[in-house]
Amino acid sequence: MIDAYEDPGTPDTRGGWSYLWWLVACQPGRSLAGALLGSVWLTLMAGTPYMMARAVDDGLVPGHMAVLAGWSAAIFVLGAVNAWVSIMRHRTMTRVRMDAYFRTIKVLVGQAVRLGAELPRRADAGEVVTIGVGDVHTIAQALTVVGPGVGAVVVYAVVAGLLMTISPLLTGVVLLGVPVVALLAGPLARRLQGRETEYRERQSVLTARIGDLAGGLRVLNGLGGKGLFADAFRRDSQHLRAQGYRVGAVASWVQALGIGLPTVFLAVVTWIAARMAAQGDITVGQLVSVYGYVAVLVGPVAFLLDMGYQLSRGVVAARRVVRLLRHEPPPDEGTAQAPAEPAALHDPESGVRLRPGRLTALVSAGPTETGAVVDRLGRYTPSDVTWGAVRLDAVPLPEVRARILVADNDADLFADTLRNATGAGETRPFRGAGNCAGAPHAHAPAPAPADAPPCAPSDAHITQALHAAAANDIVQALPHGLDSQIDAQARNLSGGQRQRIRLARALLADPEVLLAVEPTSALDAHTEALVAERLRSARDGRTTLLTTTSPLVLAHADEVIFLVDGKVAATGTHEGLLEYEPGYRALVARDTEEEEVAR
């Protein structure tokens, strides 16, 4: 089975069938063993009727008790051996399925990491969750075809050969029976694929709605929109339920045929064999063996139908996985050398220029305008941004990510201890934050070398980052401090607490350039003023951009850039823009008045 740290390989994304075959080809030895054990298991089942026929004809009918006892003992030994083979087959097939399951998970996780910030733009959260939870399991289950599926075909041929020694008529009936069963079940399998595809698409949409509901429940309560959203969710879930019933209706027919048709098949062959025995064309022992052979075939025929059912569902799931794997991140063709010293970031589209080592505030009436500038400066969208004398997109992306950090105010927080949620559990090179063992040093004007030794942040680093984000009280209020568990997205914390934890995480990363989007929007005035003051000290000598309209933050900025319609309209200090720029004053004066009223 694939190791946790093993490379899963390069998946075949030409289609659903190609992906399923790739999963089989990734474990050829185990797949071959599963097919061999499945074939031996079902073939040995066909050996029991043969031995029973010999026991009846050679022992019971002539009255040779010793012969009868010998064949009975042989049947017992055969059953014991086949039980062991069945155990090994089951173990092998479990490993085949688990390998496919974990290999697909690793491929999907690798693709999510590779896409990075592009993932939300290419696939919604509901689709990713549905693929990771439901489709992966369905794909793994479809690989049952490797064991019992192959064995069913083998035993079908073996039984046909054994029946040929008894009666060509019975052999013909058996050989024609399975194709007839397949013809009857085939249209249902194709219909099931269509129903299953539609169901999975609806399920993805509803899963996304659940995530939205869980994340925005507090806001919905405050706006009084919880009932409206609940009604919409109820309607969507009823549509999904109705679609699930349609899938279940087709699936029930497929499964019913998987049991019913082989039973009818058994009855027809038994009736023909009984008439032949009555006419003396075959012996009683051969009649018993014919019944046993066909009874053995009930299982393989059911396996064949189930194989079609599982493959139909597996192909649908594999196509969804392939569709996600086909997404490609923007090409990284950067080969230029990044600036060795801190350099200015310039966005020609807006006119924004970040001077190194300064705390800059970006102000606009529209958050989408400042967000677009940050995306360009952080190289999350194509642009003509320059970094010093070099185009930003000409620098290799790993170097950009290592030195320029975009900190969103709604960035994900994972379920873990608070220590790990802040990134304190990560091992990485520290760039200018000091050594790993001691207290942080003053920020250096130049970035540390890329080959700096990796280490985990010390308690001094963690304490400094939490202090700068005014998050000490959060740690003190939790029962186990930094080792306290937080929920996914830190839903057991308030909005302001989550925002301060995100800010502490960004400060602990200590990037050369920090681009923070509305880092204090959810904080009260007192805490916001405290964060603004400490943030300036914590980022002293480092390039920092904050998007905000809060006067409490703007007053601590070295430079304020005012945007109008996405273009730079004015630059200067907060006090200077308040005095000379009417548009800026109209935008931020409301906040100033509110602060005065609050006092």
Side-chain angles (χ1 to χ4, degrees):
M1 194 156 50
I2 184 172
D3 184 79
Y5 301 100
E6 182 182 344
D7 181 9
T10 303
D12 191 335
T13 58
R14 291 177 296 175
W17 290 108
S18 299
Y19 184 81
L20 291 178
W21 176 249
W22 174 75
L23 290 175
V24 175
C26 284
Q27 39 181 338
R30 192 178 297 118
S31 299
L32 182 61
L36 180 61
L37 289 170
S39 302
V40 172
W41 171 56
L42 290 172
T43 301
L44 290 181
M45 285 186 179
T48 301
Y50 172 79
M51 291 183 177
M52 290 180 63
R54 296 297 302 272
V56 171
D57 288 343
D58 298 344
L60 184 61
V61 174
H64 298 158
M65 293 299 103
V67 176
L68 179 61
W71 281 113
S72 298
I75 292 174
F76 175 79
V77 172
L78 179 65
V81 171
N82 208 21
W84 179 83
V85 172
S86 177
I87 292 173
M88 300 307 297
R89 174 201 62 83
H90 184 76
R91 289 182 177 180
T92 302
M93 289 310 304
T94 298
R95 288 180 173 272
V96 169
R97 289 191 295 269
M98 294 301 289
D99 184 280
Y101 186 94
F102 289 118
R103 193 177 297 273
T104 300
I105 288 289
K106 289 200 67 173
V107 166
L108 290 173
V109 171
Q111 175 71 348
V113 172
R114 194 167 70 96
L115 289 176
E118 284 294 312
L119 180 59
R121 299 185 178 97
R122 305 295 183 89
D124 58 60
E127 182 179 6
V128 175
V129 171
T130 303
I131 290 174
V133 175
D135 291 335
V136 173
H137 175 77
T138 302
I139 288 172
Q141 195 63 32
L143 292 196
T144 302
V145 63
V146 173
V150 173
V153 175
V154 172
V155 75
Y156 184 69
V158 170
V159 169
L162 292 172
L163 285 176
M164 182 64 72
T165 63
I166 299 175
S167 168
L169 174 63
L170 293 174
T171 305
V173 172
V174 170
L175 290 176
L176 291 175
V178 172
V180 170
V181 171
L183 287 174
L184 292 174
L188 288 174
R190 289 191 294 272
R191 186 177 180 185
L192 178 63
Q193 284 191 32
R195 297 288 191 189
E196 187 83 17
T197 300
E198 185 178 351
Y199 176 78
R200 291 293 183 183
E201 298 295 338
R202 287 182 177 271
Q203 191 179 38
S204 298
V205 173
L206 194 62
T207 303
R209 295 277 177 86
I210 294 173
D212 293 340
L213 177 61
L217 190 57
R218 293 182 181 179
V219 177
L220 289 172
N221 277 330
L223 297 175
K226 184 174 68 174
L228 182 64
F229 195 96
D231 291 339
F233 179 80
R234 189 177 297 109
R235 287 193 300 271
D236 289 340
S237 62
Q238 288 173 349
H239 290 320
L240 180 64
R241 181 183 62 185
Q243 182 63 25
Y245 285 154
R246 286 191 285 271
V247 173
V250 179
S252 65
W253 274 106
V254 173
Q255 293 178 342
L257 289 176
I259 300 298
L261 288 180
T263 304
V264 173
F265 179 61
L266 170 64
V268 170
V269 175
T270 303
W271 181 78
I272 295 174
R275 287 183 58 86
M276 294 178 67
Q279 295 171 0
D281 295 335
I282 60 175
T283 66
V284 175
Q286 289 176 327
L287 172 63
V288 172
S289 66
V290 168
Y291 178 83
Y293 292 148
V294 180
V296 167
L297 279 183
V298 171
V301 173
F303 275 135
L304 289 173
L305 290 176
D306 183 68
M307 178 180 69
Y309 169 69
Q310 296 292 352
L311 282 177
S312 297
R313 301 180 70 236
V315 167
V316 172
R319 286 171 182 163
R320 289 168 53 81
V321 169
V322 165
R323 186 171 61 188
L324 181 60
L325 295 178
R326 284 177 176 172
H327 293 311
E328 291 292 333
D332 178 22
E333 301 175 352
T335 57
Q337 185 69 34
E341 301 289 333
L345 276 172
H346 178 231
D347 175 30
E349 185 172 338
S350 64
V352 171
R353 180 182 294 275
L354 295 186
R355 289 187 282 176
R358 297 172 65 87
L359 177 62
T360 305
L362 189 62
V363 181
S364 173
T368 56
E369 296 177 2
T370 55
V373 173
V374 169
D375 280 345
R376 292 194 292 270
L377 293 175
R379 195 176 156 185
Y380 283 100
T381 55
S383 70
D384 297 323
V385 171
T386 58
W387 190 9
V390 185
R391 282 181 60 99
L392 186 63
D393 56 11
V395 179
L397 188 59
E399 180 70 10
V400 174
R401 294 287 178 260
R403 295 173 60 179
I404 301 176
L405 172 64
V406 174
D408 290 324
N409 64 346
D410 59 350
D412 290 329
L413 290 169
F414 299 103
D416 205 334
T417 63
L418 181 58
R419 181 187 300 275
N420 291 336
T422 60
E426 297 179 8
T427 299
R428 60 180 180 271
F430 274 77
R431 298 174 178 270
N435 56 61
C436 297
H441 296 161
H443 290 288
D451 58 352
C455 57
S458 66
D459 288 344
H461 292 111
I462 301 170
T463 301
Q464 184 193 53
L466 292 171
H467 176 77
N472 307 75
D473 61 317
I474 302 174
V475 180
Q476 295 168 0
L478 292 173
H480 304 292
L482 282 172
D483 295 319
S484 301
Q485 289 288 330
I486 64 171
D487 297 338
Q489 302 300 349
R491 292 193 177 100
N492 56 332
L493 302 178
S494 68
Q497 289 175 327
R498 289 195 292 268
Q499 194 166 55
R500 284 182 283 163
I501 293 300
R502 292 186 180 104
L503 180 58
R505 180 173 64 181
L507 294 174
L508 189 61
D510 194 34
E512 177 187 338
V513 179
L514 174 61
L515 310 175
V517 179
E518 298 289 348
T520 62
S521 59
L523 305 184
D524 60 79
H526 172 73
T527 307
E528 187 175 31
L530 198 60
V531 170
E533 180 181 352
R534 293 177 179 178
L535 183 61
R536 179 183 178 86
S537 175
R539 292 290 299 172
D540 183 33
R542 312 286 271 178
T543 307
T544 307
L545 174 70
L546 309 176
T547 69
T548 183
T549 57
S550 169
L552 296 173
V553 179
L554 295 170
H556 289 84
D558 296 317
E559 183 178 37
V560 178
I561 301 176
F562 178 47
L563 297 181
V564 176
D565 296 330
K567 306 291 184 182
V568 174
T571 60
T573 63
H574 173 58
E575 293 78 8
L577 291 177
L578 279 177
E579 184 175 355
Y580 299 110
E581 181 58 44
Y584 178 82
R585 183 170 56 251
L587 178 62
V588 303
R590 176 185 57 188
D591 295 333
T592 305
E593 293 171 1
E594 289 176 355
E595 296 302 329
E596 292 175 352
V597 171
R599 293 190 185 119

